[in-house]
Amino acid sequence: MANRTRRDVLKTGLAVGAWSMVGLPEWTLPALAQGDEVVPFTDIPDNFVTNVSATNRFLDIRTIDGPFTPKDLWFTTQHYGHPAVDPAAFRLKVTGLVDKPLSLSLDDLRKLGSSEIWFGFECSGNSARRLQGLSSNARWTGVPLRAVLNAAGVKADGHEVVFFGADKGPEEVEFRTQKFSVEQQYGRSLTREQAMGPDPMLAWALNGEPLTVHQGAPLRLLVPGWYGVANVKWLANIHVQQERYLGKYQARWYRTLRGEMIDGELKWTERAVTRMNVKSAIARVTRRGSTATVHGFVLHDGTPLRSVEVKVDDGPWQPAALDPVTAKHKYSWKLFTYTWNNPTPGEHTLISRATDVNGVVQPTAQELEHKKTFLEDNSQMARKVRIG
């Protein structure tokens, strides 16, 4: 597959299997300088699509051209469909172990304060199988969660804060040999200490515009640094209780089974899916003359990064450069570039890895061999390109 100029890309829509970009506006394509060429990946499956259904969409990471993902390209996935919530009639209920139960309109929430945060996250099921497309980044606007909880007054025995979405559906709940058919709302929880921290937010805007239905309009929870499952969309009710919350998508559906060496013995542990593990991915390769540039991004839980590196074929790890704009924002994804001088013609394998300041290195797939469930796959991802 030969290198392509921006004009070729616009003509052919990248022409790789089902990932056609024909008909999309030009602004969704990578911002190329005059004379730059896109070096196509050769490892994209012929049957890969970004719009899986009307309610599930992946981001074509090759289109990343800045810090924010446009609202109509944001990845989206859900479990119970898209509930229709009228913003004018919307009321957020705050109930349970609180001094003052609340019913808050969007205007009421805005009066409690407004703040912004850059936050990028991924679905915990994101992986090389989806070419890392279950991820996006945005500038969010909303009210700090603790402002709402303070207005309600959490009682001393309110240890668990549960967040229910307006989306719901039929479920079969198993108890030993019995099964019970019930209707359940989507729900997740935080401990009191987590919920009262400085970062969680109730957001009503993405990139300066009201949330779309795909992003949980009119209001959603954001837990910066955590996987997407925690960021409850179509938020309808905050309920404070004493006991742990054990809903399907908290205790049963989203957990990781992993074998760990403890005192020289392999032991199996199950843990809830919460904070994101550090991950990098190569999104695009461009070329001008004898120099190619590898573009990518890092997702993490806000722990500062020590380094991002790129390896070409079996060569040594080489340092990549972090974009200074996204690097300033704790919870934003971090864009990076690596300058690849004088690439030789033929097939090449490119791999990136990120390391945080605590020395946690993005693992290889082999290093995750004792992780049985597919969630939280932050392994290094090889990309294949051909230099003409």
Side-chain angles (χ1 to χ4, degrees):
M1 190 179 295
N3 292 341
R4 297 192 175 113
T5 64
R6 182 180 179 87
R7 178 173 295 181
D8 293 330
V9 172
L10 288 168
K11 282 183 177 180
T12 64
L14 295 175
V16 182
W19 237 3
S20 174
M21 300 295 291
V22 173
L24 289 183
E26 182 173 349
W27 59 262
T28 66
L29 295 170
L32 301 180
Q34 188 67 31
D36 281 358
E37 301 172 329
V38 173
V39 181
F41 294 116
T42 61
D43 56 1
I44 299 177
D46 289 340
N47 62 348
F48 191 86
V49 294
T50 54
N51 289 318
V52 178
S53 68
T55 55
N56 290 278
R57 177 178 63 218
F58 308 142
L59 172 67
D60 181 346
I61 64 173
R62 295 170 300 175
T63 67
I64 297 171
D65 62 356
F68 306 136
T69 307
K71 64 180 182 181
D72 295 329
L73 297 181
W74 247 88
F75 90 90
T76 181
T77 184
Q78 43 67 52
H79 295 286
Y80 295 131
H82 289 161
V85 182
D86 180 2
F90 168 79
R91 296 294 184 274
L92 173 68
K93 307 292 186 181
V94 184
T95 58
L97 297 176
V98 294
D99 297 325
K100 181 183 178 183
L102 300 175
S103 177
L104 302 170
S105 68
L106 288 177
D107 284 341
D108 294 331
L109 289 166
R110 291 187 180 98
K111 292 174 184 177
L112 292 175
S114 177
S115 61
E116 289 189 348
I117 191 171
W118 291 26
F119 174 30
F121 60 88
E122 62 177 340
C123 172
S124 59
N126 196 29
S127 70
R129 295 178 306 137
R130 298 289 183 257
L131 297 186
Q132 309 299 350
L134 287 170
S135 57
S136 295
N137 192 68
R139 174 174 57 87
W140 304 90
T141 307
V143 60
L145 171 60
R146 64 183 177 184
V148 176
L149 295 177
N150 284 334
V154 178
K155 293 181 180 293
D157 55 348
H159 302 307
E160 190 92 344
V161 184
V162 189
F163 305 87
F164 292 107
D167 48 331
K168 54 189 174 182
E171 293 289 354
E172 281 197 345
V173 179
E174 294 188 16
F175 174 72
R176 299 185 181 182
T177 60
Q178 295 176 289
K179 289 185 178 180
F180 304 97
S181 296
V182 298
E183 184 176 69
Q184 287 193 335
Q185 285 180 272
Y186 183 87
R188 289 281 299 194
S189 74
L190 298 172
T191 66
R192 178 196 188 108
E193 291 74 20
Q194 291 165 341
M196 294 296 286
D199 297 321
M201 170 189 284
L202 305 185
W204 53 71
L206 179 152
N207 298 335
E209 299 182 69
L211 298 179
T212 66
V213 65
H214 288 87
Q215 288 308 316
L219 189 73
R220 74 176 298 169
L221 171 69
L222 294 180
V223 188
W226 289 40
Y227 284 105
V229 60
N231 302 308
V232 178
K233 296 190 281 190
W234 311 290
L235 185 64
N237 181 207
I238 299 174
H239 186 75
V240 182
Q241 60 190 45
Q242 185 175 29
E243 66 276 5
R244 294 299 307 274
Y245 171 69
L246 296 178
K248 173 179 178 178
Y249 297 109
Q250 174 95 359
R252 301 187 296 279
W253 196 266
Y254 284 93
R255 65 188 192 274
T256 294
L257 175 64
R258 188 189 304 264
E260 298 181 2
M261 296 302 297
I262 301 175
D263 293 331
E265 181 181 354
L266 182 63
K267 296 185 179 181
W268 294 95
T269 61
E270 290 185 76
R271 294 180 182 173
V273 171
T274 56
R275 303 187 71 87
M276 287 191 293
N277 296 301
V278 64
K279 169 192 282 187
S280 69
I282 292 172
R284 184 170 72 252
V285 179
T286 58
R287 185 182 179 189
R288 176 185 292 190
S290 61
T291 300
T293 303
V294 178
H295 308 258
F297 62 93
V298 178
L299 291 165
H300 61 125
D301 68 355
T303 302
L305 299 176
R306 175 183 295 173
S307 65
V308 182
E309 300 165 292
V310 172
K311 181 169 68 172
V312 180
D313 299 324
D314 294 323
W317 289 105
Q318 300 286 348
L322 281 175
D323 163 52
V325 175
T326 52
K328 291 191 304 182
H329 295 269
K330 180 177 180 179
Y331 294 112
S332 173
W333 67 14
K334 309 299 189 292
L335 304 181
F336 70 84
T337 56
Y338 167 70
T339 301
W340 180 14
N341 292 312
N342 301 310
T344 58
E347 293 275 355
H348 294 279
T349 300
L350 305 174
I351 303 175
S352 66
R353 72 177 182 187
T355 303
D356 71 22
V357 293
N358 296 323
V360 177
V361 182
Q362 182 182 355
T364 64
Q366 291 72 29
E367 289 169 333
L368 293 181
E369 64 179 350
H370 291 310
K371 188 178 74 65
K372 297 301 183 183
T373 48
F374 69 87
L375 302 178
E376 297 187 278
D377 182 357
N378 66 322
S379 59
Q380 298 169 21
M381 175 179 160
R383 302 307 310 267
K384 302 285 187 180
V385 295
R386 180 182 295 117
I387 299 295

